[in-house]
Amino acid sequence: MSTETGAALDAEPRGHRLVQGPRGLPLLGSLPRFGKDPLAFFEHLRGYGDMVRWRFGRNECVFIADPECIGDLLTETERTFDQPLLGIAFRTVMGNGVVVARGPDWRRKRSLVQPSVRPQQVKSYASTMTACAVELAGTWADGERVDVKREMAALTQRIAVRTIFGVDTPADAESMGRAMDIAQQEIGKEFSGLGAVLPDWVPTPGRARIRKAAAVIDAEVGRVVARHRDGDGERPDLLSRLLTAVDGTGARLSDKEIRDETVTLYIGGHETTSSTLVWAWYLLSRTPRALESLTEELDRVLGDREPGIDDYARLPYAQAVVKETLRLYPTIWLVTGIAGKGASIGGVPMPEGTRVWSSQWVTHRDARWFPEPEAFRPERWDPETGDEIPEYAWYPFGGGPRVCLGTRFAMVESVLVLAVLARRFRLEVDPGTIGPVPVLTLQPDREVLATVRAR
């Protein structure tokens, strides 16, 4: 690092102190330690302070953990911070969709995709979410043994296939699901391993697997898109809305753009929600008091009927269960940005090209913002009696201009699915600690097996 760069990073006009973190190895920096256990490594960095220098390969980096600093990063993205160019595995699957695109291209795509997931549109998908959950409930029986990961994945796949593609053929969900599972694993492996610093042209077995998975995804999406184009009449699904969306010039999304945005919506509507529901059942099984409060609310509000979109606001404790689950096990566990000209964090200038990292896993478990941070306490989200939580101390969906477009979709889906299933059953998850694995999303490190108990 140059003297000029070091001097810029040492400035602390707003009281935030930038400290030197681990030096790491020549050329690799702290990449090996990060790759071994990213979550533990971020916890290690947090031990140095709220703003820490470190190196990822040859890249100069700063890790931040203070909500004020995180807010600077999130709100300044697309202004003084750029979206990083993510790995070849991620780009092979996601293409150049709204999550990956930058600058004017991102603004155009966001304007085309956003109408499909506005509250009014999510309202129209709520009945599908409830219907799919009711179908799953009909297959469960008292005393049955279930694999919670498999059950929740199948359920959210079914919801995604119906709401996004407007179809309900098992092959659609199964083939896409298998390809997505492979993609998620390979993206995680590349991101935390040597693949993160290898040039795109270097062949690896993982990159071969990701190309095969992407080919399956492309074929499935292409087949459904063709079916939609050949169909008559209007359809209420997300894909149909994308096909008819036009930008300010009257142009529509190309076939490649349709593919990229469809995959983005599928991952957002399936992978993240599935993971959240698995962790919710795990936490509820280990916190009887929280489960009792949840079922009391469901009985009082719903009685013997199924939940609808209007019940979402009437189920604040169910919402709190989802929020607390996302605090402890945030599906998206990492946010990064590349400093551009004029960038600063917490009042500290960031030299152009500095990569700034933040981890929900670390900030969400900070006792300064969340008393008893390891405890599952949905009550902390009560607007009247709960904790005072600073802005950007909880950011499972990111924030700022690039906040996840599917935030409301994911929250509504999680609450309605929990309401349908928890009104009928409780899941006794097998004893033993289940740890998180940071791949594309934060996944359990083993099977989550449970016994179904009818209420």
Side-chain angles (χ1 to χ4, degrees):
M1 181 180 295
S2 69
T3 302
E4 180 181 351
T5 298
L9 287 176
D10 285 334
E12 296 163 11
R14 266 165 55 182
H16 293 287
R17 181 168 176 254
L18 181 65
V19 300
Q20 179 61 55
R23 299 285 182 178
L25 301 172
L27 301 180
L28 293 177
S30 294
L31 175 58
R33 188 166 184 175
F34 170 84
K36 183 178 180 180
D37 189 338
L39 302 181
F41 177 71
F42 285 141
E43 290 174 344
H44 174 68
L45 289 180
R46 173 63 189 86
Y48 286 87
D50 281 323
M51 191 181 293
V52 185
R53 291 187 183 113
W54 66 292
R55 282 193 307 110
F56 184 79
R58 295 183 177 182
N59 298 316
E60 296 292 343
C61 302
V62 171
F63 174 77
I64 56 174
D66 180 86
E68 181 183 24
C69 297
I70 293 166
D72 286 346
L73 173 63
L74 294 175
T75 58
E76 285 297 308
T77 299
E78 292 301 320
R79 292 182 58 191
T80 56
F81 284 91
D82 292 327
Q83 180 81 352
L85 184 63
L86 300 173
I88 185 64
F90 190 92
R91 286 181 282 122
T92 298
V93 175
M94 304 293 285
N96 194 42
V98 70
V99 171
V100 179
R102 300 188 284 184
D105 185 40
W106 166 77
R107 286 188 285 275
R108 171 181 173 268
K109 288 175 178 176
R110 186 178 179 89
S111 70
L112 289 167
V113 175
Q114 193 168 30
S116 299
V117 288
R118 284 177 176 158
Q120 187 62 31
Q121 302 306 328
V122 173
K123 181 178 181 180
S124 70
Y125 308 138
S127 60
T128 298
M129 298 170 182
T130 296
C132 290
V134 170
E135 289 172 13
L136 174 62
T139 68
W140 285 1
D142 185 51
E144 180 183 1
R145 297 280 291 165
V146 297
D147 180 332
V148 183
K149 286 175 61 176
R150 183 179 301 168
E151 295 288 293
M152 294 302 102
L155 171 58
T156 57
Q157 281 178 8
R158 190 175 302 118
I159 293 172
V161 167
R162 288 187 186 179
T163 58
I164 297 173
F165 301 117
V167 297
D168 195 27
T169 305
D172 293 318
E174 290 174 8
S175 57
M176 282 283 283
R178 286 193 299 270
M180 286 295 183
D181 286 344
I182 293 170
Q184 177 166 217
Q185 293 300 319
E186 295 303 329
I187 289 171
K189 289 176 183 177
E190 179 178 74
F191 182 72
S192 59
L194 284 176
V197 294
L198 287 176
D200 289 353
W201 55 265
V202 176
T204 68
R207 290 176 177 181
R209 287 190 290 270
I210 205 78
R211 284 194 299 272
K212 289 182 180 179
V216 172
I217 294 167
D218 290 350
E220 287 295 332
V221 172
R223 183 166 58 82
V224 179
V225 169
R227 184 188 304 170
H228 275 60
R229 290 195 188 281
D230 294 339
D232 296 324
E234 294 185 0
R235 294 169 179 258
D237 54 83
L238 281 161
L239 176 56
S240 294
R241 298 183 189 281
L242 289 178
L243 287 169
T244 57
V246 294
D247 62 19
T249 69
R252 295 188 176 185
L253 291 166
S254 67
D255 285 352
K256 177 63 167 60
E257 290 174 325
I258 289 289
R259 178 265 179 214
D260 293 346
E261 301 308 339
T262 301
V263 171
T264 298
L265 289 169
Y266 181 88
I267 290 176
H270 159 49
E271 297 287 348
T272 57
T273 308
S274 171
S275 177
T276 298
L277 289 168
V278 172
W279 289 117
W281 287 117
Y282 170 69
L283 292 165
L284 287 167
S285 179
R286 279 154 175 72
T287 318
R289 174 187 48 78
L291 179 59
E292 181 180 351
S293 296
L294 173 63
T295 53
E296 183 280 327
E297 178 181 80
L298 297 178
D299 291 344
R300 173 169 42 83
V301 174
L302 300 176
D304 292 329
R305 65 181 177 81
E306 304 301 345
I309 187 62
D310 292 337
D311 294 306
Y312 178 76
R314 302 183 186 126
L315 298 171
Y317 195 84
Q319 290 186 47
V321 166
V322 174
K323 290 180 178 179
E324 183 71 344
T325 298
L326 286 166
R327 181 186 71 81
L328 285 168
Y329 296 99
T331 50
I332 305 303
W333 51 276
L334 171 67
V335 173
T336 66
I338 306 294
K341 291 182 179 180
S344 66
I345 293 288
V348 179
M350 293 286 116
E352 190 173 358
T354 301
R355 185 161 182 168
V356 179
W357 303 62
S358 171
S359 175
Q360 290 92 331
W361 174 265
V362 172
T363 302
H364 286 191
R365 290 171 177 255
D366 193 319
R368 293 174 297 174
W369 329 122
F370 300 99
E372 300 180 82
E374 301 298 322
F376 179 64
R377 289 202 300 107
E379 292 78 12
R380 73 173 80 242
W381 297 98
D382 188 296
E384 296 181 0
T385 63
D387 299 341
E388 292 186 9
I389 301 170
E391 187 176 16
Y392 296 115
W394 183 81
Y395 57 114
F397 301 103
R402 295 190 72 112
V403 66
C404 176
L405 288 174
T407 295
R408 183 167 178 82
F409 188 104
M411 285 295 301
V412 169
E413 181 180 0
S414 298
V415 167
L416 294 184
V417 167
L418 273 181
V420 169
L421 298 178
R423 189 170 68 82
R424 294 168 165 82
F425 306 101
R426 58 186 172 88
L427 295 182
E428 295 179 350
V429 177
D430 289 359
T433 301
I434 298 175
V437 177
V439 285
L440 179 59
T441 57
L442 205 62
Q443 294 289 326
D445 62 0
R446 60 180 174 85
E447 290 183 322
V448 182
L449 302 177
T451 301
V452 175
R453 298 298 182 193
R455 291 187 61 222

